Amino acid sequence: MLQRSNEPNLAAQIATASHSFTIDFVPAMPSPLSHFGSFPNTRLRRLRRWDWVREMVQETSLSAANLIWPIFVIEGTNQSQPIASMPGVERMSIDLAVQASEKACELGIGAVAIFPVTPQSKKTDCGKEALCEENLICTATRAIRQACGEKLGIVCDVALDPYTTHGHDGLLVDNYIVNDQTVEVLARQAVVQAQAGASVIAPSDMMDGRIGAIRKALDEKGFQHVIVLSYAAKYASAFYGPFRDAVGSAKNLGGASKKTYQMNPANSEEALREVALDIEEGADMVMVKPGMPYLDIVRKLKDNFSIPIAVYQVSGEYAMLQFASQANALDAKAVMMESMISFRRAGADAILTYFAPEVAQNLRG
Ligand code: PBG
């Protein structure tokens, strides 16, 4: 069936643009919709009747290999602390984080992402603890690498907020987070983490130019193989609240916002510019964060770039699903799995989620 398309015809537009005459007849192209047939010959419910056929024609899949599990690490041994705003998530001392990572590895989870809970006494204005080879994140990285070998990816977060008394991701000068001086520190932080055994360096700070600086610093020190996963489209979101409780940066921030460096939630074109710059600077993967309220951004990036995309189901999203399930308003397992497949359908390759072990367990049946 040949139908005239309502879409503007590109060939005609190009022809009219480059010649002085106009083309008044353009051969009709079949409309994409003409492939879909019509009722009653076509009944889409036929392919939804049994499990086997639903599974046969399923467009999107999910596997444990797609998952990255963010974990919170504290000092001490055999210590675990619940986080009130994140039911089911615990801060763990390194020995327990190693056990948790071994479990993640057995479940086939791709990687863990380590977030340190730095004691208040080690926080400073300039966050110099970030550069200490014996700090929590580096010590945890070495221990997990030793236990799991190369079977499990280790993602290290590059940003200064776990280490600064003001709780910001960069250096604060005259009440402003300065860019270029911060980038110099971040590049050194990345090298320290790579030396400890990080497989992936993930800058979450949103400074301009940090991807290029980090890539250069890693290469100069012989870490050409270390992956850079840029938090490229990271929004100034209120959904990070429970995370800031978890790492103890909420009280340091004291209500200050990160709007001068993280993206405005009203913007999506700007995400394309962020990603284009990061690819130019050498990013291997890019991230969208938060996840569920920003699935349009995931899809937009997928349609515009051929680079693997990660999405972060952040602490506030996790908290929403958990608290609603605790109140019996939602089925915990069902909404967890539905949120995962939604990320994949939107175009995400990797998913950072606090649900990772449960999802992986669930995929095993
Ligand atoms: C900070 C950082 C944040 C998260 C990951 N890295 C919070 C922030 O930007 O304030 C949030 C993750 C979450 O909410 O789960 N570098």
Side-chain angles (χ1 to χ4, degrees), residues 70 72 86 115 157-162 167-169 202-206 231 234-244 247 249 253 258 261-262 287 289-290 312-318 352 354:
F72 298 109
M86 298 179 74
F115 293 97
D157 190 70
V158 168
L160 299 183
D161 57 314
H168 279 291
D169 294 25
S204 68
D205 56 283
M206 289 299 279
Y231 285 66
K234 177 171 177 180
Y235 287 85
S237 170
F239 286 96
Y240 307 148
F243 174 97
R244 293 179 188 171
V247 299
S249 67
L253 269 174
K258 299 191 177 182
Y261 45 105
Q262 298 178 346
M287 196 193 298
K289 177 184 175 189
Y312 199 142
Q313 183 177 49
V314 300
S315 56
E317 303 173 56
Y318 173 86
L352 289 97
Y354 301 98

Side-chain angles (χ1 to χ4, degrees), residues 191-267:
V191 169
V192 170
Q193 294 173 348
Q195 276 161 349
S199 1
V200 180
I201 294 296
S204 68
D205 56 283
M206 289 299 279
M207 298 301 118
D208 289 321
R210 90 275 210 216
I211 300 301
I214 287 171
R215 184 72 270 165
K216 184 161 171 276
L218 290 173
D219 288 0
E220 277 169 9
K221 299 286 182 194
F223 296 110
Q224 288 87 354
H225 58 282
V226 170
I227 296 164
V228 175
L229 162 58
S230 171
Y231 285 66
K234 177 171 177 180
Y235 287 85
S237 170
F239 286 96
Y240 307 148
F243 174 97
R244 293 179 188 171
D245 292 339
V247 299
S249 67
K251 53 182 178 302
N252 296 95
L253 269 174
S257 90
K258 299 191 177 182
K259 287 181 187 168
T260 71
Y261 45 105
Q262 298 178 346
M263 281 180 63
N264 180 347
N267 293 355

